[in-house]
Amino acid sequence: MPIVVEKLTYTYQAGSVNAFTALKDVSFTVNDGEFVGIIGHTGCGKSTLIQQLNGLMLPSSGRVTVDGFDMNDKKQRAKGRALVGMVFQYPDYQLFDETVYKDISFGPRNMKLPEEEIARRISEAMRLVGLDEKEFSDKSPFELSGGEKRRTALAGIVAMYPKYLVLDEPMAGLDPSGRKAVIEMIEGFRKTLGCAVVMVSHSMDDIARSADKVIVLRDGTIYKSGTPAEIFSEAEELNEMGLEPPFAARVASRLRKQGVPLPGGIYTNEALADALSGIKGGSADA
Amino acid sequence: MLKDITLGQYFPVDSVAHRLDPRTKLILLIMYITAVFIVRDIWLFGVVIAFMLLMTAMSRVPFSYVMKAIKPMRILLPLMFILNLFMIRTGTVLFSWRFITITTGGIKQALFIVLRLVALVTGASLLTLTTTPVSLTEGLEKLLTPLKIIKFPAHELAMMMTIALRFIPTLLEEADKIMKAQLARGADLESGNIFKKTKAMVPILIPLFVNSFRRAEELALAMESRCYHGGEGRTKLKVLKFRMRDLWAILIMSALIALIIVLQSTLSIDGVIASFVLGLLGIDR
Amino acid sequence: MLSLKNVSFSYESGSDAVKNVSLEIGDGEFIAIVGHNGSGKSTLAKLLNGLLLPTSGTVTVNGMDTSDDDRILDIRRHVGMVFQNPDNQIVTTVVREDVAFGPENLGIPTDEIVTRVDSALKAVGMEKYAESAPHMLSGGQKQRIAIAGMLAMEPEILVLDEATAMLDPIGRKEIIGIVRKLNEEKGITVIMITQYMEEAIGCERVIVINDGSIVMDDTPLAVFKRGDELRSIGLDVPAAVELREMLKTRGIADCGDAMTIEELTDKLCLSLLKN
């Protein structure tokens, strides 16, 4: 069963002079196991939207259901929320306990799981994020390096075995190797847990590489949604919105302008290279 | 959004009251509080209230806005009124039934208490409505500077106030994010008794503290990088200047206090001091 | 002129964060210092204006030693420093007042503070926000205010310690554009500490730090030719260089030394037309 967002509208400070509608009539579905990327420039409503997915914020109108649980309903919300794991931008928002082990156990413990199940899940989560259990279990989360903190925070969510994993800018502030590691971890979660992923990111290249479906938000409405090929092949359109398309898409768009007959739908280096070698072969024949 | 909270609820319009020197306004507030406390006559109190209304009009802040300050006291005020009404038994008995007795003294005292509280709170809120937190801090620093002789840390106090004002919105926003992050991990902040609820706050308070300490450290580095080395030898972007209007404002307020003192015919200093002390204690003669 | 001679630094807790670094940075240079998280690049930044003092070796700014207590204010006035977290470097509740904070500390007369604040805000394009509350601004705008706060002290050197790391792509571009302009128009030396390789492309010189030591110090062109070495220390090459290398290995096109998307597409067109 999916997450279904229906005609979702959200207004901050409704009724006051400062009322601001952050989301307008947004509808979409996150299917089981799907990877949905959400893009849009700062202030387009991305953060507000993902907080609706587990009921941290409630719609002003419209409805969000998680596997049929209506998030507007207080009792159903708790059940729905348990299915959605939410990773915030900075790990510093959630790390609090004396040891890494205890911190990761916070979520599973709140789910009232039996002790041996909690232990099993923590081992699994630590393995998935690449933290050595022996080395890190008893360390204080506050002594860790930035990258290790992020892994611990991720493990804390993954140990809850969410059916849907929602990530808000999980790569912000990381160096290139750190970014790669996070992408690989997310792939690992999907393989092992079979969870669906909803990821908000400014990095179009990362979204292009992993997403099954991309949603473009603009001024609180869904401007466009579709496969990465559909979204990213229109490089100019994204540029106008202040979004930087994947590098290969930008190169392809420039080459087309300069008269190189490239087909549409190119947004990865590999596809671009293939297309270019085709053209080269073709023109050599001529 | 929590972000939109404006502290001290400054009301941005241009008026005489807004243009007064913050030091003048602080002095005026102190004088006004004195007036509110020394006034013993209910009719003279009317004069004080009229003065307050006049100041509100001059500030061009809508009356309803000034009265908003009373909202947090909507339970306290009726309670004070009722308590005083029934507890004070001086003057003529107007009504008596079993243990309930209402006297003229009680009515007067109850009215006084309520009016005094309203006058104080609205007066103080008029100050914050017409003065930005920044200039308020500046005024306070300047007024307290003479106290440096007795090693009173006037500059440090003002700096602390400035930083607090700067960071309160940031910290509120952060608290909100932390709370959401923990709720998403299944934290239960609502059910259980007080002890349980307090314990449930730990996962929110610890990240908030840890982050605040880190912020403080980073802010200290940033301030050092900008050559901060205490108040010594510091100059100011804005220099406060007393003008004619400041003098007039203080003269008018002084006249009001003089009027109260004269009309209450408590010309002796002892009488004024006694009135003030009694007023502070909330005792009416 | 900034010079580091055999500088080492270790935090009380552990091993050397900076190891025997020697470095000369001339007036008006535009430099990127890159390294992965924890490579020691931020520690290096804090050594440049005396926030940290070397455990051994010396750091001098225009001949002034950072360990000389009497010169420290002068050094910090010369070396402006912008940090990573935009929220944690703005001190007051009004933009104008915040930009004035540095000059106030330096005891500059009021009239001059006013002119300095105005021109600093103009230089970063934030004059419209002079009376705004900092917490209502975007991350990029806050960083522009932080830069203005430094400019108001009229520094000769501007150090950006991962000042773009917490910004979105638009904010990042704004900041890079502003510091580039300051370098070109006002001749301010810019030292950008970053982990975004794209930001290093337009610099004159890229210094690569790994494990507290300088491992490369060269032009971007030369540094980015050593892609495998960069990747082995947790870094990367700009996207154009990556694509360029791929096209070359697959024998599709030789795009020479292209580092930007413009250079790459121009070279690609040329090479495709040749066939």
Side-chain angles (χ1 to χ4, degrees):
Chain A
M1 271 180 29
I3 296 184
V4 181
V5 177
E6 287 169 282
K7 302 207 164 177
L8 170 64
T9 296
Y10 184 80
T11 307
Y12 283 100
Q13 296 188 319
S16 86
V17 216
N18 300 324
F20 169 69
T21 303
L23 294 171
K24 268 172 275 179
D25 206 22
V26 171
S27 303
F28 68 96
T29 306
V30 182
N31 291 312
D32 287 358
E34 199 176 25
F35 193 126
V36 179
I38 299 180
I39 59 175
H41 66 82
T42 307
C44 70
K46 290 174 297 190
S47 294
T48 313
L49 177 60
I50 58 169
Q51 291 184 36
Q52 305 270 351
L53 298 182
N54 71 345
L56 285 175
M57 284 180 146
L58 299 174
S60 304
S61 74
R63 204 158 77 117
V64 177
T65 53
V66 178
D67 283 11
F69 296 115
D70 187 342
M71 300 306 269
N72 283 330
D73 181 277
K74 204 179 170 188
K75 272 188 189 147
Q76 294 186 43
R77 190 186 310 149
K79 287 182 185 156
R81 188 177 281 168
L83 298 170
V84 185
M86 181 90 145
V87 181
F88 283 84
Q89 200 168 354
Y90 296 105
D92 311 275
Y93 294 150
Q94 72 175 67
L95 301 180
F96 76 98
D97 220 328
E98 288 164 69
T99 67
V100 168
Y101 187 92
K102 278 189 189 168
D103 205 285
I104 299 173
S105 77
F106 182 70
R109 198 146 276 152
N110 286 329
M111 293 166 79
K112 313 238 165 17
L113 296 170
E115 206 59 37
E116 50 295 7
E117 175 67 10
I118 292 176
R120 203 181 62 73
R121 287 188 176 195
I122 293 172
S123 306
E124 175 81 359
M126 287 183 81
R127 190 183 63 76
L128 283 171
V129 300
L131 284 177
D132 185 73
E133 204 179 336
K134 268 196 201 117
E135 191 188 341
F136 286 96
S137 282
D138 294 327
K139 276 196 179 171
S140 159
F142 302 109
E143 290 171 0
L144 304 178
S145 73
E148 290 160 357
K149 274 186 190 168
R150 204 167 297 231
R151 285 166 199 263
T152 308
L154 269 169
I157 306 297
V158 168
M160 296 168 79
Y161 284 9
K163 200 179 157 204
Y164 306 94
L165 187 62
V166 182
L167 305 128
D168 186 4
E169 292 284 352
M171 272 89 74
L174 290 179
D175 59 25
S177 60
R179 287 201 283 275
K180 252 177 233 151
V182 170
I183 286 282
E184 278 160 21
M185 272 181 248
I186 295 170
E187 285 304 321
F189 304 153
R190 290 185 74 197
K191 269 196 202 110
T192 320
L193 308 174
C195 58
V197 171
V198 179
M199 183 166 94
V200 168
S201 179
H202 283 300
S203 166
M204 304 297 140
D205 285 279
D206 293 329
I207 298 265
R209 216 168 291 144
S210 320
D212 301 314
K213 182 161 85 188
V214 182
I215 293 172
V216 187
L217 272 187
R218 184 183 202 176
D219 299 332
T221 56
I222 294 187
Y223 176 71
K224 218 175 170 187
S225 76
T227 63
E230 284 163 359
I231 301 295
F232 292 126
S233 48
E234 304 290 335
E236 285 84 23
E237 200 178 26
L238 289 173
N239 263 329
E240 266 168 44
M241 291 173 61
L243 298 174
E244 198 158 72
F247 189 74
R250 279 186 286 150
V251 172
S253 151
R254 285 183 70 94
L255 287 175
R256 275 186 216 115
K257 263 191 212 151
Q258 284 168 293
V260 179
L262 282 173
I266 292 174
Y267 61 93
T268 61
N269 282 357
E270 288 72 26
L272 178 65
D274 289 344
L276 285 173
S277 73
I279 288 169
K280 200 184 156 198
S283 58
D285 291 340
Chain B
M1 262 187 290
L2 283 166
K3 224 177 158 182
D4 300 330
I5 293 174
T6 21
L7 273 138
Q9 43 173 340
Y10 177 67
F11 192 87
V13 286
D14 189 28
S15 78
V16 186
H18 285 74
R19 270 172 290 169
L20 283 177
D21 189 290
R23 287 170 294 181
T24 310
K25 284 188 266 191
L26 280 162
I27 295 168
L28 286 179
L29 182 67
I30 294 167
M31 293 173 81
Y32 172 78
I33 292 172
T34 312
V36 168
F37 277 125
I38 61 173
V39 75
R40 315 248 42 89
D41 182 276
I42 197 93
W43 303 115
L44 270 178
F45 207 105
V47 178
V48 175
I49 298 277
F51 191 75
M52 217 288 289
L53 292 176
L54 184 75
M55 287 194 296
T56 309
M58 279 170 69
S59 74
R60 294 181 54 203
V61 177
F63 183 65
S64 60
Y65 230 86
V66 181
M67 293 315 275
K68 263 190 194 165
I70 304 172
K71 225 177 151 190
M73 303 202 303
R74 61 191 179 276
I75 295 165
L76 182 74
L77 285 178
L79 193 76
M80 293 290 276
F81 185 84
I82 291 165
L83 276 178
N84 278 282
L85 189 64
F86 295 137
M87 304 294 277
I88 306 292
R89 288 172 189 184
T90 53
T92 338
V93 175
L94 294 173
F95 176 81
S96 188
W97 178 71
R98 296 204 184 169
F99 55 90
I100 297 172
T101 307
I102 293 175
T103 62
T104 48
I107 292 177
K108 194 183 164 201
Q109 178 71 1
L111 264 178
F112 247 106
I113 283 283
V114 169
L115 282 176
R116 231 178 235 144
L117 280 171
V118 171
L120 286 178
V121 171
T122 48
S125 88
L126 202 56
L127 174 73
T128 55
L129 282 165
T130 58
T131 322
T132 60
V134 178
S135 60
L136 204 57
T137 314
E138 264 167 25
L140 203 63
E141 181 179 359
K142 271 275 149 55
L143 276 182
L144 293 174
T145 301
L147 295 181
K148 272 188 183 161
I149 300 170
I150 56 160
K151 301 256 156 114
F152 184 83
H155 166 75
E156 287 75 4
L157 191 74
M159 196 72 230
M160 272 160 60
M161 276 176 65
T162 305
I163 292 172
L165 284 168
R166 156 72 188 85
F167 278 94
I168 284 169
T170 310
L171 290 181
L172 283 174
E173 205 188 332
E174 183 154 276
D176 183 55
K177 280 184 186 155
I178 293 170
M179 199 157 4
K180 282 177 174 162
Q182 304 300 34
L183 279 173
R185 295 169 82 191
D188 180 6
L189 306 174
E190 280 163 12
S191 61
N193 54 25
I194 287 205
F195 180 71
K196 222 178 153 189
K197 272 186 192 161
T198 317
K199 214 182 145 199
M201 289 305 285
V202 170
I204 288 157
L205 291 178
I206 289 182
L208 192 61
F209 277 128
V210 171
N211 289 350
S212 302
F213 280 124
R214 205 199 51 230
R215 272 185 203 286
E217 240 167 70
E218 289 184 19
L219 183 69
L221 284 180
M223 285 171 71
E224 270 189 61
S225 295
R226 294 167 80 181
C227 299
Y228 183 70
H229 57 285
E232 214 174 305
R234 259 192 126 229
T235 46
K236 281 286 194 181
L237 171 68
K238 268 192 218 147
V239 180
L240 297 177
K241 258 193 204 138
F242 277 123
R243 293 173 199 280
M244 273 316 273
R245 56 170 172 265
D246 295 294
L247 185 65
W248 277 112
I250 288 176
L251 281 177
I252 294 168
M253 187 61 101
S254 309
L256 177 79
I257 292 180
L259 182 81
I260 293 169
I261 293 171
V262 172
L263 289 183
Q264 284 191 155
S265 40
T266 47
L267 278 167
S268 73
I269 288 294
D270 291 353
V272 176
I273 293 171
S275 295
F276 186 77
V277 172
L278 289 170
L280 267 182
L281 296 171
I283 300 165
D284 203 358
R285 283 181 298 184
Chain C
M1 169 90 169
L2 191 70
S3 123
L4 284 79
K5 282 203 186 78
N6 306 102
V7 172
S8 292
F9 179 84
S10 57
Y11 290 97
E12 275 167 41
S13 50
S15 60
D16 287 2
V18 169
K19 292 175 196 158
N20 199 24
V21 166
S22 294
L23 190 61
E24 299 253 309
I25 296 172
D27 294 340
E29 277 198 81
F30 195 104
I31 294 183
I33 298 181
V34 297
H36 66 87
N37 289 347
S39 59
K41 59 187 192 302
S42 274
T43 307
L44 187 66
K46 291 187 185 80
L47 287 162
L48 300 182
N49 74 342
L51 286 177
L52 296 175
L53 296 177
T55 325
S56 68
T58 53
V59 178
T60 53
V61 178
N62 285 352
M64 299 178 282
D65 193 324
T66 56
S67 60
D68 183 352
D69 265 350
D70 299 330
R71 312 304 294 272
I72 196 70
L73 287 182
D74 215 9
I75 288 171
R76 288 189 182 146
R77 191 194 75 68
H78 271 88
V79 186
M81 182 91 74
V82 180
F83 296 92
Q84 180 175 16
N85 191 329
D87 273 323
N88 299 352
Q89 46 192 324
I90 295 179
V91 187
T92 71
T93 47
V94 180
V95 165
R96 257 170 77 79
E97 304 263 345
D98 191 75
V99 176
F101 184 72
E104 285 178 342
N105 290 330
L106 293 169
I108 308 283
T110 296
D111 303 345
E112 205 190 322
I113 299 184
V114 174
T115 34
R116 282 191 184 197
V117 168
D118 290 345
S119 76
L121 281 171
K122 216 170 177 182
V124 299
M126 287 294 285
E127 60 270 47
K128 269 191 230 152
Y129 296 88
E131 303 298 331
S132 300
H135 72 271
M136 300 301 282
L137 303 177
S138 74
Q141 289 173 328
K142 282 182 207 164
Q143 287 302 58
R144 278 151 77 178
I145 297 305
I147 293 176
M150 290 302 156
L151 290 181
M153 299 201 301
E154 302 189 336
E156 285 162 25
I157 302 168
L158 198 57
V159 182
L160 290 100
D161 184 4
E162 297 200 57
T164 60
M166 289 173 83
L167 305 182
D168 62 17
I170 296 176
R172 221 178 286 153
K173 268 191 197 153
E174 280 173 6
I175 298 302
I176 300 298
I178 284 166
V179 290
R180 183 146 295 154
K181 208 178 85 185
L182 290 172
N183 175 257
E184 281 163 13
E185 290 173 11
K186 301 200 176 174
I188 295 176
T189 310
V190 174
I191 303 171
M192 249 187 350
I193 288 157
T194 183
Q195 37 180 279
Y196 295 104
M197 298 303 129
E198 315 287 337
E199 290 177 0
I201 296 173
C203 297
E204 295 158 9
R205 181 174 163 198
V206 180
I207 295 169
V208 183
I209 302 272
N210 187 43
D211 204 11
S213 309
I214 295 179
V215 290
M216 297 183 208
D217 181 352
D218 215 326
T219 60
L221 202 68
V223 167
F224 293 137
K225 279 189 177 152
R226 298 157 76 177
D228 291 336
E229 272 173 85
L230 289 172
R231 281 182 204 103
S232 75
I233 56 172
L235 295 171
D236 215 336
V237 291
V241 177
E242 198 183 325
L243 185 58
R244 170 188 101 191
E245 283 175 6
M246 182 189 176
L247 293 175
K248 198 175 175 185
T249 8
R250 285 188 51 178
I252 295 166
D254 184 355
C255 300
D257 293 332
M259 284 194 291
T260 63
I261 186 164
E262 291 83 9
E263 289 168 0
L264 184 76
T265 48
D266 289 350
K267 290 263 170 63
L268 257 176
C269 279
L270 269 178
S271 113
L272 288 169
L273 288 175
K274 250 193 283 178
N275 289 303

